[in-house]
Amino acid sequence: MGKSPDGKLDFHVTTHLANVPVDHTWNQSWEVFWTQQMVSLLEQEEKLRGPDEDFSLLKSALYSKVIPRLLRSLETGGRSIRPCLVHSDLWPGNIKPKLHTDELCMFDGYAYWGHNEADLGVCRNPRYRLGKPFLKEYFKRTPRSEPEEDFDDRNALYALKFHVLISIMYPTEARYRIIVKDEMRHLVERFPNGIEVYEAIGDFAQFGSRTVTDGDR
């Protein structure tokens, strides 16, 4: 995977996830960068489907609790992200072999410089033939980011982008907003107090190889 030539989290032109433009204005913080992408998508979804009090509350908690809890730890405690080129729509339909060789081509990307694990969110969708076997091979080449114990929850957060996209693309299908709300609610219930418990304790590493939720307070 390519590395950002100037170390920035951004892209120099607007790119689209399917037919939906997403805000990837430069930011030095991955937490803030991912938040602005989700704000961009969720605002478009709400414009199409209309306001919903429960939806608004979940959005607010996602921005203020879940994203800080899962992404700030990637850039604290001596950790950092080296931005790489993220395809961002890496489902099997966008990965095909060349006609006369075994070499693979990836196309139809929504590209930006970001955290490599963002490309793995699509693996969470059971209808695609990407899942645990793909992840196993991927991690042989590129290990999970630290803290490793947060990977599954980070993966759920990154997968949320695709649920929101589908809700935007099919605005008359009520079930897709329900899925978005259910996915947000799961994450909010996992981390209702956000980053505060970790900042109060001041040492992520002491928790070892398990994910710490707010029940550990």
Side-chain angles (χ1 to χ4, degrees), residues 2 32 58 68 110 143 145 213 216:
V32 176
L58 289 168
Y110 149 58
S145 296
T213 63
D216 290 289

Side-chain angles (χ1 to χ4, degrees), residues 22-42:
V22 185
D23 180 8
H24 46 226
T25 306
W26 176 83
N27 201 290
Q28 64 181 1
S29 161
W30 174 243
E31 175 191 337
V32 176
F33 186 79
W34 187 261
T35 300
Q36 72 192 26
Q37 290 198 43
M38 293 308 301
V39 168
S40 173
L41 285 166
L42 287 163

Side-chain angles (χ1 to χ4, degrees), residues 9-78:
L9 296 157
D10 66 355
F11 207 64
H12 60 285
V13 297
T14 298
T15 56
H16 294 66
L17 188 55
N19 62 344
V20 181
V22 185
D23 180 8
H24 46 226
T25 306
W26 176 83
N27 201 290
Q28 64 181 1
S29 161
W30 174 243
E31 175 191 337
V32 176
F33 186 79
W34 187 261
T35 300
Q36 72 192 26
Q37 290 198 43
M38 293 308 301
V39 168
S40 173
L41 285 166
L42 287 163
E43 284 183 350
Q44 292 180 74
E45 198 273 1
E46 195 163 26
K47 179 182 280 189
L48 286 169
R49 290 181 175 268
D52 174 319
E53 183 179 0
D54 189 35
F55 189 76
S56 296
L57 290 172
L58 289 168
K59 280 195 313 175
S60 178
L62 180 77
Y63 303 149
S64 65
K65 303 294 185 181
V66 175
I67 294 177
R69 163 62 186 85
L70 290 174
L71 301 190
R72 191 174 302 172
S73 59
L74 291 167
E75 299 179 291
T76 55

Side-chain angles (χ1 to χ4, degrees), residues 200-211:
I201 293 172
D203 184 2
F204 299 138
Q206 69 177 288
F207 296 116
S209 61
R210 66 190 179 91
T211 296

